[in-house]
Every structure is written in structure tokens, then in C-alpha cells.
Amino acid sequence: MSSSGINVEENLNRLDEFHISAHLHVKPARVLTLHGTLVDVFTTDDANPSMEIRRQMLEPYLRRAGFYYASLIRRFEYDNPLISALVERWRPETHTFHLPWGECTITLEDVAMQLVLPIDGEPVTGTLRSWSKFYQKDIWQWCEELLGEVLDGHVGTTKYNIKLKWLRSRLQQMPLDSPEDAVVRYARCYIMYLLGGVLLPYKVNNTVHVRYLPLLANYDAISTYSWGSAVLCWLYRAMCLAMDYNVE
């Protein structure tokens, strides 16, 4: 208790009404599970070496954009009980895990070392809808120009999500004799797949929002954005949502 009469501990835990850890006595412990699973774009098959060739074709372009090491995350096992236990220890007020031996958190340095994503540079920002106002171009026109194709039925609609399955299919069908400008478009598809499936995923984990597309327009400028900072902010946001016992 401070001299001002304010209980500091109560003030820190002001969100306990919503925190999942405060409801374990009336609600069974929840084990979080993924709605979707990460699928490697170029599944290695000794009988079909073309997939590995496609991967090698894209490698220099992914390095140039700063996403090569993130592309190495192809398959990994989720420890769902451990993740759930960490969520129960997450405090949204401080963005730290409150553990019996003290506080710890995931830092920007962790992101930089684990994913080797750029952490300096321009912020990852954009708009969700007013494309013409901000970019003087229709978003689906950009999709066709930057990715080489547009999804059927999306032109003129407000479906602002691209299916990861569609991106994966395009990459797996990339012609082995593609010219450089076409390979750049396929590299953008791969980056969009990484953003939606690995780095900035939604709960359902099967789509990526087109708001990232304008940031990929100038390919040489992609690495000038602080993607690592965006990934860390997204992780903090996801943890704060997951700790709310009302969120399913």
C-alpha cells in the first residue's frame, strides 16, 4: 500500500476481471489450439526436384527483401499446453510474463536474432479500406500488377483477404523459366504467404490481408521497413487477446 492510499497491486491487476487466470476456479483450464497449421510451400520430394529448384530461384530475392531466414521456418511442433500456461501468466499492463521467479518477456532483440528481420527503418503502416484515396490505385489492380494475378471474384468487392492456399498454389506452379520480373512477383507472393501464415497470422490462419501489398510495391524498399517491430507488436496484441477469457 502506498502512502497515497492506492493499492499498487490492485491497480496493476485492474484487468483481472477479464484475465483467464482469474477464472480458472470456475472455468476449466483452456488449452489453446491452432485453427490452421503451417504448410511448407515447396514440399521436398525426391521424385519431383522442381520444388527445390523453385525455392532456390526465390532465395536471392528473399534475401534482398530481408525475409530469407523467416522463409526457413517451414515446419515446427506447437507445445499447446506450454503456450496456454504462458498466456495465463501474461500481464497486458506490462506486456510481460509474471512468473514465480520474476518477470520476463519477448524482446525486439529476440525477434531480430530468431527471425533476422529488419528492426530499423520505416514503420509498417497502411490503410484497411480507402485504397484509392491513399494510393490513387485500386487494390485489386495492384494485386494483379504486383502478384501477377488476381483471385477470381475479388475485383470490385470488399474481400480484402487473400487465401494462403491460393498463394501456395501459385508458387508451386511457378514456371522454371520465369524471367526476372516474374520471379519478383512470385517472391512477393512468398512474402505475403509468410506474413499471413507465420509472421502476422490471423486466428483462423488461412488468409492474409492485402494491406501489406503496397509495402511490397517497390521491391528494393521492402527491407527498409521495420518488419521485426511489427511482428513483436502483433505478438503482444495476440497475447493480450488470448488472455481474455471471453475470447474463444
Side-chain angles (χ1 to χ4, degrees):
M1 181 78 69
S2 67
S3 58
S4 61
I6 299 175
N7 190 315
V8 177
E9 189 66 22
E10 273 187 13
N11 190 49
L12 174 64
N13 299 333
R14 65 187 182 279
L15 297 179
D16 273 351
E17 178 184 352
F18 307 100
H19 204 295
I20 188 172
S21 62
H23 297 266
L24 295 179
H25 63 289
V26 295
K27 193 172 184 178
R30 178 179 62 182
V31 176
L32 302 173
T33 56
L34 292 177
H35 288 262
T37 56
L38 174 65
V39 178
D40 186 12
V41 171
F42 301 118
T43 304
T44 304
D45 184 356
D46 294 336
N48 181 16
S50 65
M51 291 301 175
E52 185 58 31
I53 294 174
R54 290 182 174 90
R55 190 194 304 276
Q56 293 173 5
M57 287 174 61
L58 291 175
E59 179 179 332
Y61 297 92
L62 295 174
R63 287 184 181 274
R64 182 170 143 198
F67 281 84
Y68 171 69
Y69 290 98
S71 73
L72 299 180
I73 305 175
R74 298 169 187 173
R75 288 187 180 275
F76 50 84
E77 297 296 327
Y78 293 93
D79 191 334
N80 295 323
L82 175 60
I83 295 173
S84 303
L86 288 173
V87 168
E88 293 172 8
R89 292 285 185 171
W90 181 258
R91 297 307 314 185
E93 302 92 341
T94 57
H95 289 160
T96 57
F97 300 103
H98 281 220
L99 304 172
W101 51 86
E103 295 181 53
C104 68
T105 192
I106 302 166
T107 67
L108 192 57
E109 182 181 9
D110 295 323
V111 175
M113 294 185 66
Q114 295 287 338
L115 301 176
V116 199
L117 286 170
I119 59 172
D120 297 317
E122 298 296 321
V124 176
T125 61
T127 180
L128 296 180
R129 288 183 175 82
S130 302
W131 309 106
S132 299
K133 176 181 177 181
F134 285 90
Y135 302 111
Q136 290 78 49
K137 190 176 294 188
D138 178 74
I139 189 61
W140 296 114
Q141 181 184 349
W142 270 35
C143 183
E144 187 168 10
E145 291 179 8
L146 300 180
L147 302 183
E149 193 175 335
V150 66
L151 288 77
D152 292 337
H154 278 60
V155 176
T157 71
T158 55
K159 297 177 181 177
Y160 294 126
N161 292 307
I162 299 176
K163 291 183 178 179
L164 298 182
K165 184 178 179 180
W166 180 81
L167 291 171
R168 188 168 65 248
S169 176
R170 273 187 54 75
L171 289 163
Q172 291 173 345
Q173 297 171 24
M174 179 177 66
L176 300 182
D177 58 351
S178 298
E180 183 178 5
D181 59 340
V183 178
V184 169
R185 288 195 289 269
Y186 283 109
R188 288 195 187 96
C189 288
Y190 204 143
I191 293 172
M192 289 290 283
Y193 183 83
L194 290 174
L195 291 174
V198 182
L199 303 174
L200 305 170
Y202 286 100
K203 182 178 179 181
V204 179
N205 200 34
N206 62 3
T207 64
V208 58
H209 200 283
V210 292
R211 62 181 166 211
Y212 306 115
L213 203 53
L215 303 177
L216 310 183
N218 181 352
Y219 202 85
D220 289 321
I222 296 175
S223 61
T224 66
Y225 290 99
S226 182
W227 294 102
S229 301
V231 168
L232 184 63
C233 291
W234 192 272
L235 175 61
Y236 283 179
R237 175 180 179 273
M239 293 294 293
C240 291
L241 287 174
M243 71 90 207
D244 189 337
Y245 84 106
N246 291 311
V247 175
E248 297 294 338

